[in-house]
Amino acid sequence: MSFREKLGRVVKRHQELSSLLAAGSHKDAQEFARLSKEYSDLDPLVTAITDLQKADKEMAELAVMASDLSADAEMKALAEAEMADLKVRIPELEQQVKVMLLPKDEADARNAILEVRAGTGGEEAALFAASLFRMYARYAALKGWRFEPMDISETGLGGYKEATASITGRNVFERLKFESGVHRVQRVPETEASGRIHTSAATVAVLPEAEEVDVKIDDKDLRIDVFRASGPGGQSVNTTDSAVRITHLPTGLVVQQQDEKSQHKNKAKAMKVLRARLYDLERGKLDAARAADRKSQVGSGDRSERIRTYNFPQGRCTDHRINLTLYKVDKIIEGEALDEVIDALIQHDQAERLAEVE
Protein backbone atom coordinates (compact mmCIF):
# COMPACT_ATOMS: atom_id res chain seq x y z
CA MET A 1 0.00 0.00 0.00
CA SER A 2 1.37 3.40 -1.02
CA PHE A 3 1.80 6.31 1.41
CA ARG A 4 -1.08 8.24 -0.25
CA GLU A 5 -3.39 5.17 -0.02
CA LYS A 6 -2.57 4.86 3.67
CA LEU A 7 -3.61 8.48 4.16
CA GLY A 8 -6.87 7.84 2.32
CA ARG A 9 -7.67 5.06 4.80
CA VAL A 10 -7.04 7.38 7.75
CA VAL A 11 -9.48 9.97 6.31
CA LYS A 12 -12.05 7.21 5.64
CA ARG A 13 -11.78 5.98 9.25
CA HIS A 14 -12.27 9.55 10.52
CA GLN A 15 -15.46 9.84 8.41
CA GLU A 16 -16.70 6.45 9.72
CA LEU A 17 -16.17 7.59 13.32
CA SER A 18 -18.03 10.85 12.60
CA SER A 19 -21.01 8.85 11.25
CA LEU A 20 -20.97 6.40 14.20
CA LEU A 21 -20.92 9.21 16.76
CA ALA A 22 -23.65 11.16 14.95
CA ALA A 23 -25.87 8.05 14.63
CA GLY A 24 -25.47 7.17 18.32
CA SER A 25 -24.95 3.51 17.38
CA HIS A 26 -22.43 2.87 20.18
CA LYS A 27 -23.39 0.32 22.82
CA ASP A 28 -22.58 2.21 26.01
CA ALA A 29 -20.87 5.25 27.53
CA GLN A 30 -17.49 3.47 27.54
CA GLU A 31 -17.75 2.71 23.83
CA PHE A 32 -18.82 6.31 23.13
CA ALA A 33 -15.79 7.60 25.07
CA ARG A 34 -13.46 5.27 23.13
CA LEU A 35 -14.86 6.34 19.74
CA SER A 36 -14.78 10.02 20.74
CA LYS A 37 -11.13 9.76 21.78
CA GLU A 38 -10.16 8.01 18.54
CA TYR A 39 -12.02 10.68 16.55
CA SER A 40 -10.40 13.61 18.40
CA ASP A 41 -6.94 11.96 18.19
CA LEU A 42 -7.33 11.69 14.38
CA ASP A 43 -8.60 15.29 13.99
CA PRO A 44 -5.22 17.11 13.69
CA LEU A 45 -3.82 14.32 11.48
CA VAL A 46 -6.81 14.50 9.10
CA THR A 47 -6.45 18.30 8.91
CA ALA A 48 -2.79 17.86 7.89
CA ILE A 49 -3.71 15.11 5.36
CA THR A 50 -6.43 17.36 3.87
CA ASP A 51 -3.87 20.16 3.42
CA LEU A 52 -1.54 17.72 1.66
CA GLN A 53 -4.31 16.37 -0.59
CA LYS A 54 -5.30 19.94 -1.56
CA ALA A 55 -1.67 20.73 -2.41
CA ASP A 56 -1.44 17.52 -4.52
CA LYS A 57 -4.61 18.44 -6.41
CA GLU A 58 -3.40 22.01 -6.96
CA MET A 59 -0.07 20.71 -8.28
CA ALA A 60 -1.84 18.41 -10.77
CA GLU A 61 -4.06 21.27 -12.01
CA LEU A 62 -1.09 23.64 -12.37
CA ALA A 63 0.89 20.97 -14.28
CA VAL A 64 -1.96 20.71 -16.82
CA MET A 65 -2.08 24.51 -17.14
CA ALA A 66 1.71 24.79 -17.54
CA SER A 67 1.78 22.13 -20.30
CA ASP A 68 -1.20 23.59 -22.22
CA LEU A 69 0.27 24.85 -25.50
CA SER A 70 -2.72 27.11 -26.14
CA ALA A 71 -2.52 28.80 -22.71
CA ASP A 72 -1.59 32.43 -22.31
CA ALA A 73 2.19 32.89 -21.70
CA GLU A 74 1.57 34.99 -18.60
CA MET A 75 -0.76 32.33 -17.14
CA LYS A 76 1.81 29.61 -17.85
CA ALA A 77 4.53 31.63 -16.10
CA LEU A 78 2.22 32.16 -13.11
CA ALA A 79 1.43 28.41 -12.99
CA GLU A 80 5.14 27.53 -13.10
CA ALA A 81 5.91 29.97 -10.25
CA GLU A 82 3.13 28.45 -8.10
CA MET A 83 4.40 24.94 -8.93
CA ALA A 84 7.87 25.92 -7.71
CA ASP A 85 6.36 27.01 -4.38
CA LEU A 86 4.38 23.75 -4.10
CA LYS A 87 7.50 21.67 -4.83
CA VAL A 88 8.90 23.07 -1.58
CA ARG A 89 5.62 22.96 0.38
CA ILE A 90 4.47 19.40 -0.47
CA PRO A 91 7.58 17.64 1.00
CA GLU A 92 7.15 19.78 4.15
CA LEU A 93 3.49 18.72 4.43
CA GLU A 94 4.48 15.07 3.82
CA GLN A 95 7.08 15.26 6.59
CA GLN A 96 4.52 16.79 8.98
CA VAL A 97 2.04 13.97 8.24
CA LYS A 98 4.72 11.26 8.60
CA VAL A 99 5.73 12.61 12.03
CA MET A 100 2.06 12.64 13.10
CA LEU A 101 1.71 9.02 11.93
CA LEU A 102 4.58 7.81 14.15
CA PRO A 103 3.39 5.57 17.02
CA LYS A 104 2.66 7.67 20.08
CA ASP A 105 4.22 7.02 23.47
CA GLU A 106 1.08 6.65 25.59
CA ALA A 107 2.92 8.25 28.51
CA ASP A 108 3.61 11.52 26.61
CA ALA A 109 0.42 13.20 27.81
CA ARG A 110 1.06 12.27 31.46
CA ASN A 111 2.25 14.36 34.36
CA ALA A 112 5.72 13.54 35.70
CA ILE A 113 7.71 12.90 38.83
CA LEU A 114 11.11 14.62 38.75
CA GLU A 115 14.00 13.27 40.83
CA VAL A 116 17.35 15.06 41.04
CA ARG A 117 20.31 13.57 42.97
CA ALA A 118 23.78 14.94 43.63
CA GLY A 119 26.49 12.73 42.14
CA THR A 120 30.27 12.93 42.28
CA GLY A 121 31.72 16.24 43.43
CA GLY A 122 30.75 16.67 47.08
CA GLU A 123 29.13 19.97 48.07
CA GLU A 124 29.55 21.43 44.56
CA ALA A 125 27.54 18.49 43.15
CA ALA A 126 24.80 19.20 45.72
CA LEU A 127 24.76 22.90 44.74
CA PHE A 128 24.52 21.87 41.07
CA ALA A 129 21.63 19.48 41.87
CA ALA A 130 19.82 22.43 43.51
CA SER A 131 20.49 24.56 40.38
CA LEU A 132 19.00 21.84 38.14
CA PHE A 133 15.96 21.49 40.39
CA ARG A 134 15.38 25.28 40.18
CA MET A 135 15.92 25.15 36.38
CA TYR A 136 13.04 22.69 36.00
CA ALA A 137 10.88 24.72 38.42
CA ARG A 138 11.40 27.87 36.32
CA TYR A 139 10.85 25.95 33.08
CA ALA A 140 7.58 24.56 34.47
CA ALA A 141 6.47 28.10 35.41
CA LEU A 142 7.21 29.31 31.85
CA LYS A 143 5.11 26.42 30.49
CA GLY A 144 2.22 27.17 32.85
CA TRP A 145 2.70 23.82 34.61
CA ARG A 146 2.32 23.23 38.35
CA PHE A 147 5.62 22.36 40.04
CA GLU A 148 5.15 20.90 43.50
CA PRO A 149 8.27 19.98 45.54
CA MET A 150 7.61 16.69 47.33
CA ASP A 151 10.76 15.84 49.26
CA ILE A 152 14.02 17.78 49.51
CA SER A 153 17.11 16.60 51.37
CA GLU A 154 19.30 19.69 51.89
CA THR A 155 22.98 19.84 52.78
CA GLY A 156 22.71 22.95 54.94
CA LEU A 157 24.87 25.02 52.54
CA GLY A 158 22.14 25.51 49.94
CA GLY A 159 22.78 22.26 48.09
CA TYR A 160 20.43 19.29 47.61
CA LYS A 161 21.52 15.71 48.22
CA GLU A 162 18.29 14.73 46.48
CA ALA A 163 15.00 16.40 45.60
CA THR A 164 11.70 15.18 44.22
CA ALA A 165 8.86 17.15 42.63
CA SER A 166 5.52 16.47 40.99
CA ILE A 167 5.00 18.35 37.70
CA THR A 168 1.43 18.69 36.44
CA GLY A 169 0.30 20.14 33.13
CA ARG A 170 -0.14 19.55 29.42
CA ASN A 171 2.24 16.98 27.85
CA VAL A 172 4.75 17.26 30.70
CA PHE A 173 6.37 13.87 30.16
CA GLU A 174 6.60 14.40 26.38
CA ARG A 175 8.70 17.55 26.93
CA LEU A 176 10.86 16.27 29.82
CA LYS A 177 11.43 12.57 29.11
CA PHE A 178 14.82 13.10 27.45
CA GLU A 179 16.16 14.89 30.56
CA SER A 180 16.87 11.58 32.34
CA GLY A 181 20.57 10.86 32.74
CA VAL A 182 23.77 12.32 34.17
CA HIS A 183 24.17 16.10 33.90
CA ARG A 184 27.74 17.38 34.35
CA VAL A 185 28.84 20.88 35.36
CA GLN A 186 32.22 22.58 34.90
CA ARG A 187 32.58 25.81 36.87
CA VAL A 188 34.52 27.56 39.61
CA PRO A 189 32.71 26.85 42.90
CA GLU A 190 31.93 29.81 45.16
CA THR A 191 33.95 28.05 47.87
CA GLU A 192 37.04 27.77 45.61
CA ALA A 193 39.55 30.48 46.59
CA SER A 194 42.13 29.70 43.87
CA GLY A 195 39.63 30.01 41.00
CA ARG A 196 40.16 26.40 39.91
CA ILE A 197 37.45 24.85 37.70
CA HIS A 198 35.73 21.84 39.25
CA THR A 199 33.76 19.13 37.45
CA SER A 200 30.84 17.56 39.27
CA ALA A 201 27.63 15.79 38.35
CA ALA A 202 24.00 15.22 39.24
CA THR A 203 21.56 12.57 38.08
CA VAL A 204 18.09 13.46 36.79
CA ALA A 205 15.21 10.99 36.47
CA VAL A 206 11.89 11.97 34.90
CA LEU A 207 9.17 9.36 35.50
CA PRO A 208 5.68 9.36 33.97
CA GLU A 209 3.11 9.60 36.74
CA ALA A 210 1.23 6.32 37.17
CA GLU A 211 -2.40 5.75 38.10
CA GLU A 212 -3.45 2.98 40.46
CA VAL A 213 -4.81 1.03 37.48
CA ASP A 214 -1.36 1.09 35.81
CA VAL A 215 0.49 -0.62 38.65
CA LYS A 216 -0.88 -3.24 41.01
CA ILE A 217 0.78 -3.02 44.42
CA ASP A 218 -0.08 -5.62 47.06
CA ASP A 219 0.00 -4.47 50.68
CA LYS A 220 1.94 -7.64 51.58
CA ASP A 221 4.75 -6.46 49.27
CA LEU A 222 5.26 -3.25 51.27
CA ARG A 223 7.19 -2.52 54.42
CA ILE A 224 6.17 0.84 55.86
CA ASP A 225 8.34 2.51 58.50
CA VAL A 226 7.42 5.75 60.24
CA PHE A 227 9.94 8.01 61.97
CA ARG A 228 10.49 11.55 63.12
CA ALA A 229 11.28 13.98 60.32
CA SER A 230 14.54 15.93 60.51
CA GLY A 231 15.94 18.82 58.55
CA PRO A 232 19.45 19.76 57.41
CA GLY A 233 22.05 19.36 60.12
CA GLY A 234 19.81 16.95 61.99
CA GLN A 235 17.59 19.53 63.68
CA SER A 236 14.05 18.36 64.37
CA VAL A 237 11.38 19.47 61.94
CA ASN A 238 8.54 17.67 63.64
CA THR A 239 7.86 16.27 67.08
CA THR A 240 5.70 13.40 65.82
CA ASP A 241 6.53 10.28 63.77
CA SER A 242 5.13 11.77 60.55
CA ALA A 243 7.91 10.84 58.11
CA VAL A 244 7.28 7.71 56.06
CA ARG A 245 9.64 5.24 54.39
CA ILE A 246 8.11 2.63 52.07
CA THR A 247 10.11 -0.36 50.87
CA HIS A 248 8.74 -2.39 47.94
CA LEU A 249 10.03 -5.83 48.87
CA PRO A 250 9.94 -7.57 45.44
CA THR A 251 12.08 -4.87 43.77
CA GLY A 252 13.92 -3.37 46.76
CA LEU A 253 12.78 0.14 45.77
CA VAL A 254 12.73 2.55 48.74
CA VAL A 255 10.76 5.81 48.83
CA GLN A 256 10.93 8.30 51.67
CA GLN A 257 8.67 11.29 52.30
CA GLN A 258 8.83 13.77 55.17
CA ASP A 259 7.81 17.21 53.85
CA GLU A 260 4.24 17.10 55.17
CA LYS A 261 3.36 17.28 58.88
CA SER A 262 0.73 14.59 58.38
CA GLN A 263 1.82 10.94 58.22
CA HIS A 264 -1.18 10.21 55.98
CA LYS A 265 -0.15 12.89 53.43
CA ASN A 266 3.47 11.72 53.46
CA LYS A 267 2.35 8.14 52.82
CA ALA A 268 0.12 9.25 49.90
CA LYS A 269 3.01 11.18 48.33
CA ALA A 270 5.44 8.29 48.85
CA MET A 271 2.98 5.88 47.18
CA LYS A 272 2.68 8.29 44.22
CA VAL A 273 6.47 8.22 43.73
CA LEU A 274 6.63 4.43 44.23
CA ARG A 275 3.90 3.87 41.61
CA ALA A 276 5.80 6.09 39.16
CA ARG A 277 9.07 4.20 39.75
CA LEU A 278 7.42 0.79 39.31
CA TYR A 279 5.62 1.97 36.16
CA ASP A 280 8.93 3.36 34.83
CA LEU A 281 10.64 0.04 35.62
CA GLU A 282 8.02 -1.84 33.59
CA ARG A 283 8.28 0.67 30.70
CA GLY A 284 12.07 0.28 30.80
CA LYS A 285 11.79 -3.49 30.31
CA LEU A 286 9.41 -3.04 27.36
CA ASP A 287 11.55 -0.29 25.83
CA ALA A 288 14.69 -2.44 26.14
CA ALA A 289 12.94 -5.29 24.34
CA ARG A 290 11.66 -2.98 21.59
CA ALA A 291 14.92 -1.05 21.24
CA ALA A 292 17.29 -4.02 21.14
CA ASP A 293 18.05 -3.28 17.49
CA ARG A 294 17.57 0.50 17.56
CA LYS A 295 20.51 2.74 16.76
CA SER A 296 19.09 5.83 18.45
CA GLN A 297 20.08 6.33 22.07
CA VAL A 298 18.14 9.56 22.62
CA GLY A 299 15.25 7.78 24.27
CA SER A 300 17.29 5.15 26.07
CA GLY A 301 16.61 6.72 29.47
CA ASP A 302 19.83 5.19 30.77
CA ARG A 303 20.34 6.95 34.11
CA SER A 304 24.08 6.25 34.07
CA GLU A 305 24.57 7.88 30.66
CA ARG A 306 26.26 11.30 30.64
CA ILE A 307 23.85 13.33 28.56
CA ARG A 308 24.77 17.00 28.99
CA THR A 309 27.60 19.27 30.12
CA TYR A 310 27.11 22.81 31.42
CA ASN A 311 30.45 24.63 31.02
CA PHE A 312 30.19 28.00 32.75
CA PRO A 313 33.70 29.43 32.03
CA GLN A 314 33.04 28.99 28.29
CA GLY A 315 29.33 29.84 28.56
CA ARG A 316 28.34 26.69 26.69
CA CYS A 317 25.93 23.83 27.16
CA THR A 318 26.47 20.63 25.17
CA ASP A 319 24.03 17.76 24.77
CA HIS A 320 26.30 14.81 23.94
CA ARG A 321 23.57 12.58 22.47
CA ILE A 322 22.93 14.86 19.49
CA ASN A 323 26.19 16.87 19.52
CA LEU A 324 24.28 20.10 20.13
CA THR A 325 26.23 23.02 21.65
CA LEU A 326 24.57 26.29 22.58
CA TYR A 327 26.52 29.25 23.93
CA LYS A 328 23.82 30.33 26.35
CA VAL A 329 24.41 28.24 29.46
CA ASP A 330 23.07 31.02 31.76
CA LYS A 331 19.74 31.16 29.92
CA ILE A 332 19.46 27.36 29.87
CA ILE A 333 20.10 27.00 33.62
CA GLU A 334 17.46 29.71 34.16
CA GLY A 335 14.99 27.55 32.20
CA GLU A 336 14.55 30.27 29.54
CA ALA A 337 16.43 28.53 26.71
CA LEU A 338 15.80 24.91 27.78
CA ASP A 339 13.15 24.60 25.04
CA GLU A 340 15.87 24.95 22.39
CA VAL A 341 17.61 21.83 23.71
CA ILE A 342 14.35 19.90 24.22
CA ASP A 343 13.02 20.78 20.73
CA ALA A 344 16.28 19.57 19.15
CA LEU A 345 16.09 16.28 21.08
CA ILE A 346 12.46 15.68 20.06
CA GLN A 347 13.23 16.45 16.39
CA HIS A 348 16.25 14.11 16.46
CA ASP A 349 14.15 11.33 17.97
CA GLN A 350 11.44 11.83 15.32
CA ALA A 351 14.04 11.75 12.52
CA GLU A 352 15.54 8.51 13.90
CA ARG A 353 12.12 6.87 14.15
CA LEU A 354 11.14 8.02 10.67
CA ALA A 355 14.36 6.53 9.27
CA GLU A 356 13.42 3.18 10.85
CA VAL A 357 9.97 3.01 9.25
CA GLU A 358 10.89 4.33 5.81
Side-chain angles (χ1 to χ4, degrees):
M1 188 192 297
S2 73
F3 175 61
R4 291 297 194 275
E5 284 172 334
K6 225 183 255 185
L7 303 188
R9 288 181 72 167
V10 172
V11 173
K12 191 181 174 190
R13 176 60 181 162
H14 189 253
Q15 289 165 347
E16 281 171 9
L17 289 164
S18 178
S19 300
L20 286 168
L21 290 165
S25 56
H26 37 272
K27 297 167 196 164
D28 52 33
Q30 203 173 356
E31 177 74 354
F32 177 76
R34 188 185 66 76
L35 294 174
S36 296
K37 186 180 184 306
E38 189 184 349
Y39 180 79
S40 63
D41 286 349
L42 285 178
D43 251 348
L45 175 57
V46 169
T47 301
I49 291 171
T50 305
D51 288 345
L52 177 58
Q53 289 173 334
K54 279 181 189 168
D56 281 342
K57 188 182 174 191
E58 206 178 318
M59 178 66 102
E61 289 168 355
L62 288 166
V64 170
M65 196 185 296
S67 61
D68 185 355
L69 299 173
S70 62
D72 177 77
E74 196 177 327
M75 288 297 288
K76 281 178 78 170
L78 193 64
E80 282 165 5
E82 286 184 30
M83 281 172 73
D85 287 343
L86 281 171
K87 277 177 185 172
V88 173
R89 188 162 171 256
I90 286 173
E92 288 173 353
L93 288 169
E94 281 180 348
Q95 182 73 2
Q96 183 188 346
V97 169
K98 283 176 182 176
V99 167
M100 291 173 88
L101 279 168
L102 285 172
K104 299 281 184 287
D105 180 346
E106 71 84 27
D108 277 354
R110 293 183 181 231
N111 300 323
I113 301 290
L114 168 74
E115 298 179 334
V116 180
R117 287 184 178 81
T120 52
E123 185 60 37
E124 171 60 7
L127 288 167
F128 177 51
S131 295
L132 287 176
F133 197 70
R134 283 191 291 273
M135 174 181 80
Y136 293 118
R138 291 186 190 113
Y139 181 70
L142 291 168
K143 287 286 176 193
W145 298 338
R146 185 177 172 214
F147 187 95
E148 184 191 356
M150 295 175 75
D151 194 50
I152 297 173
S153 173
E154 296 182 50
T155 59
L157 295 172
Y160 293 170
K161 280 185 258 182
E162 54 184 272
T164 308
S166 166
I167 309 176
T168 311
R170 183 176 169 79
N171 298 333
V172 173
F173 186 69
E174 180 185 31
R175 298 295 300 169
L176 293 180
K177 64 182 175 183
F178 298 131
E179 292 301 296
S180 291
V182 176
H183 295 238
R184 189 176 68 161
V185 67
Q186 292 172 324
R187 64 184 178 188
V188 178
E190 290 172 26
T191 52
E192 175 61 62
S194 65
R196 197 162 51 90
I197 294 167
H198 283 233
T199 299
S200 55
T203 304
V204 171
V206 179
L207 319 173
E209 199 174 283
E211 304 295 330
E212 285 189 43
V213 291
D214 298 318
V215 183
K216 191 178 185 306
I217 302 174
D218 287 329
D219 288 343
K220 66 178 174 62
D221 289 337
L222 301 177
R223 188 178 74 232
I224 301 173
D225 300 307
V226 294
F227 56 97
R228 193 161 295 179
S230 62
Q235 76 263 32
S236 176
V237 166
N238 209 329
T239 54
T240 60
D241 291 343
S242 61
V244 174
R245 185 186 298 111
I246 300 177
T247 306
H248 185 250
L249 301 171
T251 59
L253 286 174
V254 179
V255 180
Q256 190 168 298
Q257 187 71 37
Q258 62 173 30
D259 272 25
E260 299 286 348
K261 289 182 181 176
S262 150
Q263 188 186 114
H264 177 73
K265 284 182 181 174
N266 279 328
K267 185 185 173 189
K269 280 188 173 183
M271 285 300 291
K272 187 176 180 179
V273 175
L274 179 61
R275 264 196 301 274
R277 286 195 194 167
L278 288 169
Y279 179 61
D280 184 60
L281 209 60
E282 201 50 47
R283 273 171 54 84
K285 286 177 193 168
L286 290 170
D287 288 347
R290 286 194 206 109
D293 57 350
R294 271 189 68 179
K295 293 178 188 128
S296 169
Q297 289 300 304
V298 173
S300 69
D302 181 357
R303 304 284 148 70
S304 62
E305 180 191 2
R306 190 191 75 192
I307 63 165
R308 196 174 299 151
T309 297
Y310 304 74
N311 185 306
F312 281 85
Q314 294 177 20
R316 65 175 166 83
C317 179
T318 300
D319 195 290
H320 305 289
R321 295 163 295 179
I322 55 173
N323 296 319
L324 172 75
T325 296
L326 297 173
Y327 286 87
K328 45 177 75 175
V329 70
D330 290 333
K331 285 195 170 180
I332 290 168
I333 208 77
E334 287 295 320
E336 290 172 33
L338 188 56
D339 257 338
E340 291 182 47
V341 185
I342 288 171
D343 285 340
L345 286 162
I346 288 172
Q347 284 162 17
H348 181 87
D349 180 62
Q350 287 173 345
E352 289 281 324
R353 291 196 292 142
L354 279 171
E356 285 169 15
V357 296
E358 285 176 353

